Amino acid sequence: MTSLVPAAPEPEPVVYKEGELNRETLFDILTAEIAGHQKRFDLAQEKYLKQAELTGDPAVIRRAVRIAQYNKDQVALQKAADIWIKYEPDNLEPFEIMASILLHERQFEAAQPYIRKALTRQSQRILLLINAQAPRLPNDTAKGYLNEISELLRDNPERADLWMTSGLLQQKLARNDDALASFSKAIRYNPSNYDAYLRKADLQREMKRFDEALVTLKPVKKRAPRNKQVLLSEMQVLYAAERNKEAAAKGAKLIAQFPEDDQLQLYIALLALDHGQLEQSEELLKALQAQKERSDLNFYLGLIAEQRDQKETALAYYTATAEGNNIMQAYGRALALQTSIQRRDDVANAINNAIKRHPELAPDLYNLHADWLRTRGDKQGAINVLDKGLSTYSQNPTLVYARAMLRPPEEFSTTEKEFRLVLAQDPDNASALNALGYTLTIYTERYDEAFALLDRAIVLKPDDPAVIDSYGWILYKLGRYQEARQYLEKAFGILEDPEVGGHLVVVLIALEEHEAAQQLYNKLQAQFPDSSHLEEAKELLAS
């Protein structure tokens, strides 16, 4: 039977007109606002981001940006800022946002056009970001940013903030005299910028121009006699100049000026420790400990005792470190003092007690114990400790990785599974990428797969000799001998290790450079006469 009810008409397609809110936009924005009141910020972000893209409305875009900032969602924030730039290209803020995100993610080249735009608009935020990132910038990127700053300085020679950034970039590029000149101009054009004085003095100290550094600090010290940073900088210069009594006197005076500042007293104590002034450091640490019960200070007292070769005292201090950020380091140093495998029971007791006191650190403590046993030749003991830890923390990546590294060749399939378990939890774990990639080159012919893993590892750790060695070795396996040689020579230049050297000998043989291969082998054989890593090289040279 045919229905007499007419079919509902198809809804008209939504048309977006500038300056108007259509039904879909209105519905999404109302949904987003209600979601925000219900703390469903993910839904609010989704709706506003969608409408920002569809409408190009500045108010909607700004709202999308603020929600993404509140959510700390960098991907959404980058997308929203990109939309904002499209519709409001003269607004400085989205350029600052994009530059900030890209700098934070170390995408320095991608950040450059946004930085250029922001700098032409006198963005203080971008200058501060460059200043913070300067020590970590690749040299090519630092040069690019410096060129941008130099162009701006040609038209704005009295901008102290630009001279400050110029100095930091020049310092990064080891152009120290130029950096000092830039800091001096920053001071000339803004005498109240204390940071410029401090940067200049610190650089002069690094250059061992101690008297000049003290002269640099003198006027700002006169203007701000209670400025802690300035007074501490003066102490650092005096210590570096080996004027230890003067430095200690300055430290005592500073503590007397700020008797309630525990962090200042600790910093001065550690400064004294760094420069070998053990008595002064110990006196300050014990005075601080007497005021407040702080077991974290035991770590530093342990360092002092260790430097005095007071082994048992150092052990007692290290194992009494029950708070702070140095607990693992304290136990690491405590175990390092137990040099003999005969002390295995003492070490086991110390670790067991530590696990009871710090269950949140248990996986790392198990791993520390296993590593102590492994480095003293007790591989089976290390395996037993790791198995014990894994019985409770079966998915812990630190323990899984350590256990995989100790498996014999016949357990390769399990080793691979364990490395992949680590990578499933942490895809950018360079150590696991390197270990799995290198293992594949040894036990399989899955070289393309190994290369993909090692190619990721070397991006993450380009200066790690173990990663460079593995990368060179997979290039050799792929028949790319010249490239392999470059990487292996670089790795061997960083670490003269028999395994790295053995790999390099094999590659030299593949390149038919037999004389160079023989010379390197002879050197390695003399240095490491019992190394099994030279066997393949030996056999190839004999054939």
Side-chain angles (χ1 to χ4, degrees):
M1 180 177 177
T2 304
S3 173
L4 299 177
V5 179
E10 289 290 326
E12 293 180 13
V14 176
V15 177
Y16 287 86
K17 293 182 180 179
E18 189 174 348
E20 292 185 7
L21 292 177
N22 59 46
R23 63 174 182 270
E24 184 180 309
T25 301
L26 188 58
F27 179 78
D28 279 350
I29 288 176
L30 286 173
T31 301
E33 290 299 319
I34 293 168
H37 284 293
Q38 295 175 346
K39 301 191 183 302
R40 289 284 311 281
F41 301 118
D42 55 337
L43 179 58
Q45 176 179 289
E46 176 194 332
K47 295 298 182 183
Y48 264 110
L49 199 55
K50 172 187 169 186
Q51 288 303 321
E53 193 165 21
L54 290 171
T55 66
D57 183 89
V60 175
I61 295 169
R62 282 192 287 273
R63 186 70 166 154
V65 166
R66 302 299 174 234
I67 295 171
Q69 287 174 323
Y70 181 83
N71 288 342
K72 297 181 180 178
D73 186 331
Q74 297 290 77
V75 174
L77 181 57
Q78 190 168 345
K79 185 176 180 180
D82 201 37
I83 297 168
W84 198 354
I85 288 169
K86 178 182 175 182
Y87 288 99
E88 286 196 312
D90 294 326
N91 193 315
L92 177 61
E93 187 178 354
F95 287 91
E96 291 181 328
I97 291 170
M98 289 293 285
S100 176
I101 291 170
L102 293 168
L103 282 172
H104 179 75
E105 294 176 348
R106 301 178 66 79
Q107 297 183 40
F108 301 118
E109 295 302 320
Q112 196 151 350
Y114 300 103
I115 286 172
R116 185 181 299 116
K117 176 76 172 182
L119 288 176
T120 60
R121 302 284 298 281
Q122 300 191 17
S123 169
Q124 293 298 310
R125 179 180 177 184
I126 292 302
L127 286 176
L128 291 173
L129 284 168
I130 295 174
N131 293 353
Q133 290 282 358
R136 294 177 288 280
L137 291 173
N139 283 351
D140 288 346
T141 304
K143 288 176 185 175
Y145 291 172
L146 184 58
N147 289 337
E148 299 285 347
I149 298 295
S150 298
E151 285 184 24
L152 289 169
L153 278 168
R154 276 194 284 272
D155 297 325
N156 304 273
E158 296 185 4
R159 276 189 61 182
D161 55 349
L162 292 176
W163 284 116
M164 185 71 178
T165 302
S166 177
L168 291 170
L169 292 169
Q170 288 163 336
Q171 186 175 355
K172 160 63 187 175
L173 295 167
R175 292 165 48 180
N176 290 338
D177 287 330
D178 290 341
L180 288 176
S182 291
F183 292 142
S184 294
K185 288 181 179 178
I187 291 168
R188 182 197 308 170
Y189 295 122
N190 184 5
S192 63
N193 181 1
Y194 296 162
D195 193 36
Y197 292 90
L198 291 169
R199 296 283 190 175
K200 183 179 178 182
D202 284 347
L203 181 53
Q204 288 169 324
R205 172 172 55 81
E206 290 173 14
M207 296 169 72
K208 301 187 185 303
R209 291 157 67 165
F210 305 123
D211 290 339
E212 292 177 35
L214 292 172
V215 169
T216 296
L217 292 170
K218 193 172 182 180
V220 70
K221 187 181 162 193
K222 185 176 181 180
R223 287 196 193 101
R226 290 178 62 83
N227 186 297
K228 295 176 189 177
Q229 282 186 295
V230 174
L231 297 172
L232 287 171
S233 181
E234 184 184 31
M235 277 186 65
Q236 289 176 317
V237 173
L238 291 169
Y239 270 128
E242 298 184 356
R243 292 163 61 174
N244 297 327
K245 287 185 178 179
E246 291 177 73
K250 295 285 183 186
K253 184 178 178 181
L254 195 49
I255 290 170
Q257 277 184 281
F258 303 96
E260 303 301 320
D261 192 336
D262 293 349
Q263 286 303 111
L264 176 66
Q265 186 169 333
L266 177 59
Y267 184 87
I268 292 171
L270 298 185
L271 194 58
L273 178 57
D274 285 343
H275 288 87
Q277 303 305 299
L278 303 186
E279 287 186 17
Q280 182 197 359
S281 181
E282 182 181 42
E283 182 181 339
L284 291 172
L285 289 168
K286 287 187 173 179
L288 194 54
Q289 204 169 47
Q291 296 167 25
K292 297 178 182 178
E293 291 186 11
R294 290 182 53 176
S295 75
D296 60 315
L297 302 182
N298 288 323
F299 172 71
Y300 305 112
L301 291 167
L303 291 176
I304 292 170
E306 189 176 347
Q307 289 189 44
R308 289 172 171 163
D309 203 26
Q310 298 170 346
K311 180 178 172 181
E312 295 304 322
T313 302
L315 278 170
Y317 276 128
Y318 288 142
T319 54
T321 304
E323 60 183 322
N325 298 322
N326 293 312
I327 296 173
M328 284 303 305
Q329 195 176 350
Y331 278 98
R333 296 195 76 94
L335 265 60
L337 289 173
Q338 306 277 30
T339 55
S340 171
I341 192 64
Q342 305 304 320
R343 300 293 296 270
R344 74 174 78 230
D345 291 341
D346 293 335
V347 168
N349 288 334
I351 292 294
N352 289 335
N353 288 333
I355 289 171
K356 289 176 184 176
R357 291 164 66 184
H358 308 287
E360 74 284 0
L361 299 176
D364 291 327
L365 290 163
Y366 279 121
N367 189 48
L368 183 66
H369 187 189
D371 193 57
W372 185 87
L373 291 165
R374 181 189 60 78
T375 55
R376 283 155 186 79
D378 188 359
K379 182 177 177 180
Q380 188 55 54
I383 289 170
N384 293 341
V385 167
L386 291 171
D387 286 342
K388 181 181 178 183
L390 285 164
S391 67
T392 304
Y393 305 96
S394 60
Q395 302 292 307
N396 182 269
T398 299
L399 295 175
V400 172
Y401 174 82
R403 185 66 181 87
M405 292 293 288
L406 290 175
R407 291 198 181 279
E410 59 269 21
E411 295 181 12
F412 168 70
S413 61
T414 304
T415 301
E416 181 178 359
K417 288 176 184 175
E418 289 178 329
F419 284 141
R420 292 198 182 281
L421 177 60
V422 174
L423 290 171
Q425 298 179 65
D426 182 8
D428 290 332
N429 188 315
S431 297
L433 288 166
N434 180 58
L436 178 55
Y438 183 66
T439 304
L440 289 172
T441 69
I442 298 174
Y443 300 121
T444 78
E445 293 184 0
R446 292 151 57 189
Y447 298 143
D448 289 340
E449 191 178 342
F451 178 79
L453 292 162
L454 293 169
D455 198 44
R456 285 169 58 199
I458 203 161
V459 169
L460 293 164
K461 285 193 172 181
D463 301 317
D464 187 320
V467 175
I468 300 168
D469 171 56
S470 299
Y471 196 70
W473 191 239
I474 188 57
L475 290 171
Y476 162 72
K477 290 290 188 179
L478 291 168
R480 295 160 59 176
Y481 300 144
Q482 285 291 359
E483 293 173 84
R485 176 183 186 169
Q486 292 174 10
Y487 281 96
L488 290 169
E489 285 181 338
K490 181 180 178 181
F492 192 68
I494 300 171
L495 178 66
E496 289 203 2
D497 174 88
E499 185 171 12
V500 180
H503 288 161
L504 182 54
V505 171
V506 170
V507 170
L508 289 171
I509 294 169
L511 290 167
E512 298 185 356
E513 297 190 24
H514 297 285
E515 184 177 347
Q518 186 67 61
Q519 288 178 354
L520 179 56
Y521 174 80
N522 292 342
K523 175 184 175 181
L524 292 165
Q525 183 62 32
Q527 283 183 278
F528 311 101
D530 301 320
S531 176
S532 61
H533 294 300
L534 301 176
E535 290 301 318
E536 184 177 357
K538 180 180 179 181
E539 291 174 7
L540 287 171
L541 284 168
S543 61

